[in-house]
């Protein structure tokens, strides 16, 4: 509406954000929030095990240092940049929604930023002063405290972000009174936090166990001892993760639950939803089995490849939850306030009255006429469908209609049926927002989609061409 | 007619949500957090250029290789701080200049988003470079190329940011700009770019002067022939040369700016900045040409005055933006208010309109029109089977029909699946009755 429209017509705009966000969450949870306390704990164990004449037990300390090297390099590059990337991608794909969120959450984000700066300073200090901490007992004790402080700060960073994520799913009382506190204490906050905290620790455990297997000598007693500790860490986190997942699941507002099956993949695979539940149970069971074996039967020889299973399981588990979170707030980007086509719910009466084009700043046409029908149709598509559909790429609107009407190759779309469908689109499939425009715009949209089906190429004009 | 609309300056509406803080507070936060951010960006960019230069020189003189290594160690820290300190100005500019910033982003979209992967790669390369010093000792050309690539990326990224910041200032171009390359051709982009590069070199010179001068820094254990004095003199000379060049580039930047943002206030602010730079230049010059042991005598005064110069320049930058955008912001504000009025009016009208007559007197038919007609019609297949077919299946099985609507499934191989529609028990019964009444 108020911004030039950025549109990736092959991969789709949703995928852009999804890739960046999922990567970020996996790194943030698996290598920062959950991982740093694990590293600090191992460092502490090494400190305790240091004999009479040594400050630390070298094997333990080196393991902690190596684990931290991995975390340091990845979090300060991909981790940090995907964090910024979420802002960049949102500012392109959903400027109105990220802009609104910033207006509401500026304070929280600003506080978050100070915590985040502290976190970065601490991680630099913690990692880069590792060698220097080995000179005396006092220095090492201080270093471990630094690790503890860093753990706390990464958890606080996450807990603030979670509030904002929660808000996007359920705006609570914010829509009525639009205050910061109302947004911040939205009902889904605590369940999310209760879920993500042990989840992060469990992911970190899975990654830590795998890396330990790589970093230690196979079959050595140190490998057994250290793996056993990490396995214990995982076993302790497992029940909390399960409980957290349930708490989270039951709090997700009813309508969103209704969306869950579609969220998991495409509609064709609705029945896969059962599979998802099985996948989660499967991932947690794998973790249970492998961590349990390592803990109770440390001498058993397990090939390295097996250690990858819990990592994949946990990353997949977390990734699927993120995907669902991203999807279940549909048809809204900000629950009950802004639809995922980035139009505000409260503006709909105006659009119904005047049409969307009349209020679209960058549309070269403001009213549909016989001559400009296709151009107008394209604009209507851009405004009301393009945040989720492409013309011919992923989630193509043409394919969607063809498949829905079970058309055979070469069969033409029927405009009247499509019009009727789009008019009731929010009833037919409630993850889609209602069509915002007027009758003439509906007509133009349908003409445009039919044109796409025949022609195969989207029309190009300076306002919507890709930049 | 299209051209007519395209040539107009677009006047979008602002978001109808209040600013999170008073405007002045946000501006102060924006200007200062930005300066902090750009300081570390300067050190990151300048540091990587110097590392590259020093390492190439190090092919002949081992001490320069060591110098390169020492500078490389600082990039890792400075780059992390540069990123994290960038968040606050990003937030603030998003809140204050929502319409302007996002529009510029969208207009250079692909390049804007490519900042993320590019910077990630550059960061990974700096780590690869730093941690492979020993491993690649005998393959210097490869080792230097790693840094070369990362420097190339670091030199490109600022252009993307500058193009965005620049494009923000020109709403009158938004309708006609076609992407990043086109936006690069706006006047002022390249002068600003060189202004930035010189600032990076100047700042890094000062940083190196300080870094290698620290008492706690064990210089002799690292270097064999180079002396502290030599490095510091070189660093100072770099700052001097870069700052002197700013006296030429600076006016070019100012002169290529469109006049719409000029004001006496701006000239005064920039002028004050320039005046603070003069004594700094004098002190540096005295340091370079004076006795070796006196080189650091005025260092803190230099750092302070140049710091003030940068603060004034940064404020000038904001003043220009504020003046240049003020008229357009007024239009945006007026349009937003008018629009919100229309929204209210349309909402009222809709409320007051005589309640839309239900599609029919029968509640079942009304529900069918709203919830089912997108996919079902009387006697043709739409998405799902026609009502006629439903009746023939369920005419003696009302419960079966009820159960299907409650929990539809997949039956016909060549049809898609019917979704569950979330109807209440009452609604299901009504619509089922309606269907079964159709003979």
């Amino acid at each position: 509406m108020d911004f030039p429209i950025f549109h990736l017509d092959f991969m789709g705009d949703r995928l852009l954000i999804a890739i960046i966000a999922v990567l970020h969450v996996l790194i943030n949870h698996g290598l920062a929030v959950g991982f740093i306390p694990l590293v600090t704990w191992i460092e502490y164990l090494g400190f305790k095990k240091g004999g009479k004449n040594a400050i630390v037990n070298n094997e333990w300390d080196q393991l902690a240092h190596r684990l931290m090297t991995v975390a340091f390099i990845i979090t300060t590059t991909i981790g940090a940049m995907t964090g910024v990337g979420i802002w960049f991608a949102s500012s392109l794909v959903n400027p109105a929604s990220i802009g609104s969120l910033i207006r509401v959450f500026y304070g929280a984000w600003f506080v978050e930023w100070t915590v985040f700066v502290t976190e970065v300073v601490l991680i630099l200090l913690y990692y880069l002063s590792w060698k220097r901490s080995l000179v005396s007992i006092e220095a090492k004790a201080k270093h471990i405290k630094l690790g503890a402080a860093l753990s706390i700060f990464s958890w606080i960073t996450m807990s603030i972000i979670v509030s904002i994520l929660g808000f996007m799913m359920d705006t609570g009382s914010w829509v009525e009174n639009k205050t910061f506190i109302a947004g911040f204490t939205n009902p889904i906050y605590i369940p999310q936090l209760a879920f993500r905290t042990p989840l992060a620790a469990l992911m970190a455990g899975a990654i830590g166990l795998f890396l330990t297997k790589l970093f230690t000598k196979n079959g050595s007693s140190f490998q057994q001892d250290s793996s056993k500790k990490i396995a214990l860490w995982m076993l302790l986190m497992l029940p909390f993760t399960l409980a957290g997942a349930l708490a989270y699941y039951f709090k997700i507002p009813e309508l969103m639950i209704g969306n869950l099956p579609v969220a998991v993949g495409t509609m064709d695979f609705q029945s896969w939803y059962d599979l998802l539940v099985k996948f989660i149970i499967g991932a947690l069971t794998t973790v249970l089995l492998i961590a349990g074996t390592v803990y109770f039967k440390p001498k058993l020889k397990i090939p390295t490849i097996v250690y990858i299973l819990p990592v994949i399981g946990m990353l997949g588990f977390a990734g699927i939850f993120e995907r669902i979170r991203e999807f279940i707030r549909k048809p809204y980007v900000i629950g009950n306030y802004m639809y995922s086509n980035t139009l505000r719910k409260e503006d709909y009466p105006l659009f119904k009255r005047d049409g969307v084009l009349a209020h679209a700043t960058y549309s070269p046409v403001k009213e549909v006429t016989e001559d400009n029908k296709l151009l107008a149709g394209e604009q209507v598509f851009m405004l009301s469908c393009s945040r989720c559909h492409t013309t011919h790429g992923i989630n193509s609107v043409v394919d969607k209609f063809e498949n829905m009407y079970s058309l055979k190759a070469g069969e033409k779309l029927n405009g009247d049926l499509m019009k009727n469908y789009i008019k009731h689109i929010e009833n037919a499939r409630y993850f889609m927002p209602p069509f915002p425009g007027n009758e003439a715009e509906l007509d133009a949209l349908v003409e445009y989609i039919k044109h796409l089906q025949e022609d195969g190429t989207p029309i190009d004009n300076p306002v919507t061409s890709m930049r | 007619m299209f051209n007519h609309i395209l040539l107009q300056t677009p006047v979008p509406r602002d978001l109808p949500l209040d600013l999170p803080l008073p405007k002045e507070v946000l501006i102060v936060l924006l200007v200062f957090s930005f300066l902090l951010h750009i300081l570390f960006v300067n050190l990151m960019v300048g540091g990587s250029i110097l590392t590259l230069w020093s390492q190439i020189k190090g092919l002949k003189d081992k001490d320069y290789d060591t110098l390169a290594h020492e500078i490389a160690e600082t990039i890792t820290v400075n780059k992390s701080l540069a990123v994290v300190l960038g968040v606050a100005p990003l937030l603030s500019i998003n809140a204050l200049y929502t319409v302007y910033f996002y529009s510029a982003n969208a207009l250079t979209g692909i390049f804007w988003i490519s900042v993320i992967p590019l910077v990630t790669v550059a960061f990974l390369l700096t780590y690869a470079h730093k941690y492979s010093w020993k491993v690649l000792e005998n393959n210097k050309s490869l080792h230097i190329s790693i840094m070369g690539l990362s420097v190339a990326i670091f030199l490109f990224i600022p252009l993307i940011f500058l193009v965005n910041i620049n494009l923000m200032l020109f709403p009158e171009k938004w309708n006609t700009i076609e992407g990043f390359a086109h936006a690069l051709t706006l006047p002022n982009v390249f002068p600003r770019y060189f202004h930035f590069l010189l600032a990076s070199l100047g700042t890094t010179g000062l940083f190196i002067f300080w870094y290698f001068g620290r008492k706690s820094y064990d210089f002799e254990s690292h270097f064999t022939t180079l002396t502290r004095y030599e490095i510091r003199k070189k660093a100072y000379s770099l700052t001097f040369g870069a700052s002197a060049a700013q006296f030429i580039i600076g006016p070019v930047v100012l002169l290529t700016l469109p006049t719409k943002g000029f004001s006496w206030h701006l000239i005064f602010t920039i002028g004050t900045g320039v005046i603070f730079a003069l004594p700094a230049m004098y002190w540096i010059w005295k340091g370079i040409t004076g006795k070796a042991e006196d080189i650091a005598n005025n260092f803190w005064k230099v750092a302070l005055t140049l710091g003030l110069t940068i603060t004034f320049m940064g404020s000038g930058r904001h003043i220009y933006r504020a003046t240049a955008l003020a008229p357009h912001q007024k239009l945006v504000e007026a349009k937003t208010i008018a629009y919100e009025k229309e929204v209210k009016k349309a909402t009222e009208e809709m409320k007051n309109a005589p309640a839309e007559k239900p599609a029919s007197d029968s509640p079942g038919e009304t529900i069918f029109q709203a919830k089912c007609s997108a996919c079902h019609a009387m006697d043709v297949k739409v998405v799902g089977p026609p009502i006629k077919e439903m009746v023939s299946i369920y005419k003696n099985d009302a419960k079966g029909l009820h159960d299907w609507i409650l929990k539809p499934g997949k039956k016909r191989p060549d049809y898609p699946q019917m979704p569950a529609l979330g109807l209440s028990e009452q609604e299901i019964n009504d619509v089922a009755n309606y269907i079964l009444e159709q003979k």
Side-chain angles (χ1 to χ4, degrees):
Chain A
M1 277 276 123
D2 298 310
F3 305 93
I5 297 175
F6 170 86
H7 180 56
L8 292 172
D9 202 47
F10 178 71
M11 81 188 283
D13 303 309
R14 273 194 307 156
L15 192 59
L16 177 71
I17 297 197
I19 291 174
I20 298 178
V22 166
L23 205 56
H24 183 71
V25 168
L26 294 182
I27 293 175
N28 169 281
H29 287 15
L31 284 169
V33 177
F35 203 74
I36 287 165
L38 179 64
V39 169
T40 311
W41 185 50
I42 296 174
E43 188 191 9
Y44 173 75
L45 291 174
F47 184 54
K48 284 271 125 172
K49 287 181 203 288
K52 280 221 179 64
N53 306 315
I55 296 167
V56 295
N57 175 306
N58 271 339
E59 276 181 318
W60 286 84
D61 195 71
Q62 268 165 18
L63 175 64
H65 183 240
R66 283 183 140 179
L67 292 176
M68 192 58 208
T69 304
V70 174
F72 179 74
I73 289 184
I74 296 185
T75 53
T76 59
T77 55
I78 311 177
M81 288 314 295
T82 45
V84 182
I86 298 178
W87 299 81
F88 275 48
S90 312
S91 77
L92 289 178
V93 174
N94 289 327
S97 91
I98 188 74
S100 304
L101 286 174
I102 290 177
R103 295 260 172 119
V104 178
F105 280 110
Y106 185 87
W109 258 318
F110 204 86
V111 173
E112 159 98 1
W113 175 68
T114 58
V115 177
F116 193 37
V117 172
T118 319
E119 190 190 332
V120 169
V121 171
L122 285 176
I123 199 172
L124 290 169
L125 281 176
Y126 182 61
Y127 181 68
L128 298 173
S129 71
W130 201 291
K131 294 237 163 67
R132 260 173 279 153
S133 77
L134 289 168
V135 295
S136 68
I137 300 238
E138 292 73 38
K140 193 70 200 177
K142 234 191 189 158
H143 192 253
I144 292 172
K145 283 194 193 125
L146 203 58
L150 175 56
S151 309
I152 293 171
F153 273 95
S154 9
W155 184 80
I156 298 178
T157 323
M158 179 184 79
S159 64
I160 298 175
I161 277 296
V162 163
S163 146
I164 296 164
L165 293 181
F167 168 76
M168 297 195 324
M169 284 164 65
D170 182 344
T171 35
S173 56
W174 179 82
V175 175
E176 278 76 49
N177 57 30
K178 295 205 174 46
T179 64
F180 172 71
I181 293 295
F184 202 66
T185 55
N186 67 79
I188 209 158
Y189 181 51
I190 298 293
Q192 273 224 45
L193 203 55
F195 168 57
R196 282 178 194 268
T197 307
L199 175 70
L202 193 54
M203 285 166 71
I207 297 173
L209 189 67
F210 171 64
L211 291 176
T212 300
K213 170 80 180 166
L214 293 183
F215 290 161
T216 53
K217 197 161 162 285
N218 266 342
S220 63
S221 67
F222 173 63
Q223 183 175 61
Q224 289 168 15
D225 292 351
S226 51
S227 301
K228 207 173 145 173
K229 288 290 182 199
I230 299 177
L232 176 64
W233 169 280
M234 292 166 75
L235 292 175
L236 288 178
M237 295 305 157
L238 197 74
F240 291 103
T241 311
L242 193 63
L246 290 178
Y248 182 49
Y249 185 84
F250 285 121
K251 262 293 172 181
I252 294 175
E254 258 190 341
L255 192 68
M256 293 185 173
I257 287 278
N259 276 337
L260 272 178
V262 205
V264 185
T266 57
M267 239 160 41
D268 308 326
F269 300 124
Q270 278 208 10
S271 52
W272 283 41
Y273 180 53
D274 295 336
L275 264 179
L276 166 72
V277 176
K278 285 182 197 136
F279 184 86
I280 291 173
I281 295 172
L284 292 182
T285 315
T286 315
V287 169
L288 181 69
L289 278 178
I290 292 177
T293 315
V294 172
Y295 186 73
F296 290 105
K297 294 250 178 290
K299 293 221 158 47
L300 204 71
K301 285 211 172 53
I302 311 173
T304 311
I305 195 96
V306 176
Y307 285 79
I308 301 178
L309 294 179
V311 177
I312 297 176
M314 282 319 293
L315 295 187
F317 176 40
I320 287 186
F321 255 91
E322 270 338 293
R323 170 95 172 84
I324 293 174
R325 182 189 62 69
E326 179 51 33
F327 203 101
I328 47 189
R329 56 192 158 98
K330 291 197 165 51
Y332 294 105
V333 254
I334 304 177
N336 241 337
Y337 176 69
M338 186 179 282
Y339 287 117
S340 38
N341 51 19
T342 76
L343 303 180
R344 274 179 299 272
K345 190 180 180 185
E346 64 196 44
D347 292 355
Y348 261 62
L350 184 66
F351 298 152
K352 285 273 169 234
R353 191 189 78 185
D354 306 348
V356 269
L357 295 180
H359 296 283
T361 309
Y362 290 92
S363 172
V365 292
K366 305 287 174 192
E367 208 178 328
V368 184
T369 62
E370 261 325 298
D371 301 334
N372 71 13
K373 227 173 187 179
L374 284 185
L375 187 57
E378 187 189 47
Q379 289 300 316
V380 176
F381 173 76
M382 281 294 168
L383 291 163
S384 48
C385 319
S386 76
R387 299 304 84 196
C388 310
H389 291 287
T390 64
T391 57
H392 294 287
I394 293 176
N395 214 16
S396 141
V397 75
V398 177
D399 287 357
K400 286 292 142 198
F401 272 110
E402 284 178 345
N403 292 343
M404 185 174 79
Y405 292 122
S406 328
L407 295 191
K408 294 182 193 64
E411 248 181 299
K412 295 255 155 63
L413 286 167
N414 174 328
D416 291 331
L417 295 184
M418 287 163 70
K419 263 190 233 169
N420 193 39
Y421 182 83
I422 297 174
K423 240 186 232 169
H424 299 288
I425 197 163
E426 77 278 16
N427 289 325
R429 288 293 189 177
Y430 46 59
F431 45 83
M432 286 192 263
F435 178 70
N438 60 22
E439 202 63 35
E441 289 170 344
L442 176 59
D443 196 44
L445 173 63
V446 167
E447 278 307 309
Y448 174 65
I449 298 175
K450 279 168 61 185
H451 163 83
L452 284 177
Q453 188 201 19
E454 279 166 32
D455 186 303
T457 48
I459 22 179
D460 199 32
N461 77 62
V463 186
T464 54
S465 63
M466 242 120 28
R467 326 216 179 218
Chain B
M1 185 199 74
F2 299 161
N3 284 340
H4 174 64
I5 290 175
L6 282 177
L7 289 178
Q8 283 176 351
T9 301
V11 181
R13 298 167 300 262
D14 197 4
L15 303 173
L17 295 167
D18 294 335
L19 284 181
L21 289 172
K23 200 170 164 199
E24 293 69 29
V25 180
L26 281 174
I27 290 174
V28 171
L29 286 173
L30 173 60
V31 171
F32 280 93
S33 63
F34 175 74
L35 286 174
L36 211 56
H37 163 63
I38 206 71
L39 174 70
F40 285 94
V41 172
N42 283 334
L43 293 180
M44 169 181 94
V45 174
S48 50
I49 296 175
L50 289 188
T51 302
L52 182 62
W53 166 80
S54 181
Q55 206 184 358
I56 292 174
K57 224 168 138 63
L59 289 172
K60 292 229 173 71
D61 180 346
K62 183 83 186 53
D63 260 10
Y64 278 94
D65 193 69
T66 312
L67 179 63
H69 194 178
E70 292 296 294
I71 304 176
E73 299 263 310
T74 67
I75 304 176
T76 334
V77 174
N78 288 333
K79 72 117 185 45
S80 282
L81 292 173
V83 171
V84 70
L85 290 173
V87 173
L90 184 67
L91 267 177
S92 309
I93 203 166
N94 278 215
L96 266 173
Y97 289 103
T98 315
V99 166
Y100 301 90
F101 195 63
Y102 293 157
S103 301
N105 295 169
L107 291 171
T108 57
I110 298 286
F111 280 84
W112 179 244
I113 193 68
S114 66
V115 164
I116 303 304
L118 283 176
V119 175
T120 309
V121 169
F123 284 2
L124 287 168
L125 287 173
T126 57
Y127 281 126
H129 178 253
K130 176 172 148 183
Y131 291 121
S132 65
W133 219 285
K134 278 259 146 55
V135 185
L136 291 181
E137 207 161 24
N138 297 318
N139 195 347
K140 279 286 172 195
S141 52
L142 176 61
H143 194 223
I144 292 177
S145 320
I146 297 178
M147 196 64 213
L149 191 54
S150 131
V151 168
I153 300 177
F154 280 141
L155 287 179
F156 180 61
I157 301 293
L159 267 183
I160 304 182
F161 279 97
L162 277 174
V163 160
N164 267 274
I165 294 298
N166 198 45
L167 195 52
M168 269 178 75
L169 302 175
F170 305 116
E172 61 273 21
K173 309 265 188 205
W174 290 349
N175 260 335
T176 46
I177 277 293
E178 287 174 32
F180 175 75
H182 189 192
L184 264 183
T185 61
L186 290 178
N188 198 246
V189 172
F190 282 97
R192 274 176 97 159
Y193 179 66
F194 290 115
H195 196 50
F196 162 81
L197 285 189
L198 289 172
S200 293
L201 292 174
T203 317
T204 312
L206 276 192
F207 172 73
I208 294 208
F209 187 96
W210 166 79
Y211 189 78
F212 288 97
R214 287 170 307 151
K215 290 233 162 46
S216 61
Y217 184 73
D218 186 5
F219 194 90
E220 284 69 27
S221 77
H222 289 95
F223 296 92
T224 50
T225 52
L226 269 177
T227 64
R228 238 187 242 262
Y229 173 68
E230 273 173 278
I231 290 184
R232 299 183 97 186
K233 190 169 154 185
K234 278 204 159 54
Y236 243 4
S237 308
L238 177 66
T239 305
F240 189 85
S243 310
Q246 295 288 40
F247 280 87
I248 300 166
I249 280 287
V252 176
V253 171
L254 208 58
L255 291 177
T256 50
L257 278 172
T259 48
K260 66 173 185 172
F262 275 96
S263 63
W264 285 111
H265 193 180
L266 172 73
I267 305 289
F268 176 76
T269 311
I270 301 261
T272 314
V274 175
I275 288 172
F276 276 111
L278 293 173
M281 295 294 280
Y282 170 71
W283 285 317
I284 298 181
W285 180 251
K286 252 179 68 177
I288 300 173
T289 54
K291 284 203 234 77
E293 60 269 29
D294 293 340
I295 191 166
N297 276 2
N298 295 309
F299 176 72
W300 290 110
K301 282 192 265 175
V302 170
L304 181 74
T305 40
L306 285 186
L308 286 171
T309 302
I310 294 175
T311 310
F312 276 95
M313 295 294 169
S315 311
R317 186 173 170 272
H318 180 78
I319 291 168
Y320 180 86
R321 173 152 66 211
T323 319
L325 290 182
H328 190 261
Q329 279 179 310
K330 280 228 177 63
L331 295 178
V332 168
E333 198 183 319
K335 185 144 178 199
T336 311
I337 294 173
Y339 175 80
E340 287 305 307
K341 269 209 195 100
E342 282 303 303
V343 170
K344 287 230 167 65
K345 213 169 114 201
T347 311
E348 284 305 310
E349 282 168 15
M350 188 178 243
K351 268 194 203 131
N352 297 338
E356 220 176 278
K357 237 181 66 180
S360 121
D361 299 335
S362 126
E365 186 173 351
T366 311
I367 297 167
F368 189 90
Q369 284 309 329
K371 301 274 183 178
C372 321
S373 69
C375 302
H376 295 288
M378 185 55 76
D379 36 30
V380 289
K381 165 190 179 263
V382 179
V383 176
I387 295 185
K388 288 259 162 69
E389 190 176 328
M390 298 177 193
V391 177
S392 68
I393 299 173
Y394 291 109
K395 57 178 176 282
N396 297 319
D397 184 12
K399 172 144 190 330
L401 180 55
H402 166 279
D403 290 350
W404 171 272
I405 301 172
L406 181 68
K407 212 167 179 265
K410 174 115 183 102
K411 202 163 152 189
R412 300 164 180 77
D414 50 344
Y415 283 53
Q417 181 167 347
M418 171 170 153
L421 293 159
L423 301 185
S424 71
E425 190 62 19
Q426 178 69 43
E427 287 170 321
I428 294 180
N429 288 332
D430 286 347
V431 79
N433 287 339
Y434 164 76
I435 291 171
L436 293 179
E437 281 160 16
Q438 315 301 313
K439 291 271 154 52

